[in-house]
């Protein structure tokens, strides 16, 4: 199972919005609404930010939103803040009854 | 508080074996699917294996199939990963996480480092 494709990095100024794409195939992202997004700060464990494409767990800021179109899912961070600087990974269920992560995106707050 | 604590990592020679443990607390362990995910130094997350709540449904990534075995002891609220025939490319921080695919993996443990080197 090949990793889902994400841009290596995105950046934005405080207050701006950034969007991270996550491209897979019809066997993963495009075939199921089981896309999740994780935030990982350096040296820390990942944290769930979005599940089932667009749902936010309790406690996650509403500045984080998710969507999907075809084989590509997206995570948008609105009102960018310094603490949002981190690595972000998408994840999807696959037709092999397994899971696949994205290549990861480093978000930089300028 | 829901908590997952991994242990068992360390330095092992190529071809060796190691067993990781993930002790769960703060929730009914026997009701949840569990996952193992690894991250090589400076690299991205890679899914390794899952177990359903009673251990009857298990899956592995192709890269570890036939070498790694996931298991669980619901009476002890502990998840395990038996790793045999270890290779240099298995060097990574190994995380356990709670959950199924449709509701995401949450929370994650702090991870345990496995280093395969001679």
């Amino acid at each position: 199972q090949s990793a889902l494709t994400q841009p290596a990095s995105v950046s934005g100024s405080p207050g701006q919005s950034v969007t991270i794409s996550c491209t897979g195939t019809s066997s993963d992202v495009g075939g199921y609404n089981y896309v999740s997004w994780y935030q990982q700060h350096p040296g820390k464990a990942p944290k769930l930010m979005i599940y089932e494409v667009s749902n936010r767990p309790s406690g996650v800021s509403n500045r984080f939103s998710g969507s999907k179109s075809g084989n590509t899912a997206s995570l948008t961070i609105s009102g960018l803040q310094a603490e949002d600087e981190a690595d972000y990974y998408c994840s999807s269920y696959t037709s092999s009854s397994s899971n696949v992560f994205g290549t990861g995106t480093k978000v930089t707050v300028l | 508080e829901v908590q997952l604590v991994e242990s068992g990592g360390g330095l092992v020679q190529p071809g060796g074996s190691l067993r990781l443990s993930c002790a769960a607390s703060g929730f009914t362990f026997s009701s949840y699917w569990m996952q193992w995910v690894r991250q090589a130094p400076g690299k991205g997350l890679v899914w390794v294996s899952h177990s359903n709540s009673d251990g009857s449904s298990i899956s592995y990534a192709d890269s570890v199939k036939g070498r790694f075995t996931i298991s669980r002891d619901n009476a002890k609220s502990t998840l395990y990963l038996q790793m045999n025939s270890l290779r240099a490319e298995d060097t990574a921080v190994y995380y356990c996480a709670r959950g199924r695919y449709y509701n995401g993996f949450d929370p994650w443990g702090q991870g345990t480092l496995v280093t395969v080197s001679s």
Side-chain angles (χ1 to χ4, degrees):
Chain A
Q1 182 72 48
S2 298
L4 307 175
T5 301
Q6 298 181 231
S9 63
V10 299
S11 62
S13 300
Q16 288 186 332
S17 295
V18 294
T19 296
I20 303 168
S21 61
C22 169
T23 302
T25 69
S26 57
S27 296
D28 38 65
V29 175
Y32 309 91
N33 287 324
Y34 297 155
V35 176
S36 302
W37 288 90
Y38 300 88
Q39 176 192 64
Q40 186 180 34
H41 287 107
K44 301 295 187 181
K47 174 187 175 184
L48 177 66
M49 305 301 284
I50 295 287
Y51 66 96
E52 287 182 342
V53 175
S54 59
N55 293 322
R56 275 187 313 276
S58 173
V60 172
S61 171
N62 59 9
R63 298 184 298 102
F64 292 85
S65 62
S67 63
K68 191 186 86 167
S69 178
N71 295 338
T72 298
S74 298
L75 174 72
T76 298
I77 309 173
S78 305
L80 201 60
Q81 299 180 0
E83 68 246 35
D84 299 332
E85 187 161 293
D87 293 326
Y88 291 82
Y89 294 90
C90 61
S91 170
S92 174
Y93 180 71
T94 81
S95 58
S96 308
S97 299
S98 64
N99 185 79
V100 62
F101 284 96
T103 50
T105 299
K106 180 177 180 60
V107 171
T108 301
V109 181
L110 301 171
Chain B
E1 178 194 6
V2 174
Q3 194 171 15
L4 298 172
V5 179
E6 301 94 337
S7 61
L11 175 64
V12 61
Q13 292 188 339
S17 298
L18 214 54
R19 188 177 83 155
L20 306 183
S21 299
C22 169
S25 60
F27 65 100
T28 305
F29 180 75
S30 59
S31 297
Y32 287 86
W33 285 49
M34 296 295 295
Q35 314 278 340
W36 284 104
V37 177
R38 69 185 182 184
Q39 185 171 35
K43 301 298 184 180
L45 301 174
V46 176
W47 175 80
V48 172
S49 180
H50 81 228
S51 168
N52 71 339
S53 57
D54 64 5
S56 62
S57 175
I58 283 172
S59 185
Y60 300 97
D62 288 344
S63 59
V64 307
K65 202 172 294 183
R67 300 188 300 122
F68 289 12
T69 302
I70 189 173
S71 63
R72 60 192 298 160
D73 185 335
N74 285 344
K76 295 183 177 179
S77 296
T78 302
L79 179 73
Y80 302 101
L81 186 68
Q82 177 66 44
M83 304 185 297
N84 298 331
S85 303
L86 284 162
R87 307 165 180 167
E89 54 264 36
D90 295 318
T91 294
V93 173
Y94 285 74
Y95 295 100
C96 65
R98 182 186 73 171
R100 298 185 68 165
Y101 304 101
Y102 58 78
N103 56 6
F105 304 160
D106 178 55
W108 297 53
Q110 86 289 350
T112 187
L113 176 63
V114 172
T115 303
V116 184
S117 175
S118 54

